[in-house]
Amino acid sequence: MKGDARLIDTLNSLLADELTAINQYIVHGEMCEDWGYGKLHSKAEKRAIDEMKHAEKLIGRILFLEGIPIVSNLNKIQIGNEIPVQVENDRAAEMGAIKAYNDAIVLAGELRDYATRDMLMEILKDEDRHMDEIEELQDQIEQMTLPIFLTTQVD
């Protein structure tokens, strides 16, 4: 089924966001593991896996719409050199993703491509959950102070 070129471009833009997030989360997770914060590593790794599943869905939909998935585009990856910076960078990435998915959902609806819209809405739910988890980490850091928070993240 030939899809609208604007929607395919939008899906490829979302794909770039997801591929960027995968890389950022993997690096942050491995840094946490290296520093001995296994619980933070596991959380980042789980988010990276979720983003991989999103990328897979986007690629499948682009192909269904007879587009070409562009997997060579990445946005600027924001790597933090300490935990609070990492968490803030991850929050900013999720905030951008949520806005981009909301915009894409509107476009898909305007184009009357409800199957794409529904798929995007499902991914958006995951992004909202990621945002909630990241904001929870930020709240814990603020309420406990960083040193105490970090003691809770050691396996």
Side-chain angles (χ1 to χ4, degrees), residues 63-124:
L63 290 170
F64 177 79
L65 297 173
E66 298 180 22
I68 297 172
I70 300 170
V71 295
S72 56
N73 290 347
L74 290 178
N75 301 319
K76 186 168 179 3
I77 299 171
Q78 301 290 329
I79 303 301
N81 60 350
E82 56 186 40
I83 301 298
V85 177
Q86 288 181 354
V87 175
E88 177 54 30
N89 290 348
D90 293 350
R91 188 199 63 76
E94 290 297 336
M95 188 69 103
I98 288 168
K99 181 186 180 328
Y101 276 103
N102 277 307
D103 292 345
I105 289 164
V106 170
L107 176 62
E110 289 171 356
L111 296 172
R112 302 174 69 96
D113 183 341
Y114 300 115
T116 299
R117 185 191 66 181
D118 290 348
M119 179 199 73
L120 295 171
M121 289 171 65
E122 286 302 311
I123 294 173
L124 178 60

Side-chain angles (χ1 to χ4, degrees), residues 2-3 16 18 23 48 75-76 88 97 136 148 155:
K2 187 68 175 165
E18 296 293 354
N23 285 284
N75 301 319
K76 186 168 179 3
E88 177 54 30
E136 182 179 282
I148 293 171
D155 279 333

Side-chain angles (χ1 to χ4, degrees), residues 28-42 155:
H28 282 169
E30 291 305 310
M31 290 171 76
C32 289
E33 180 71 18
D34 185 58
W35 294 333
Y37 304 122
K39 291 179 182 177
L40 284 174
H41 167 260
S42 295
D155 279 333

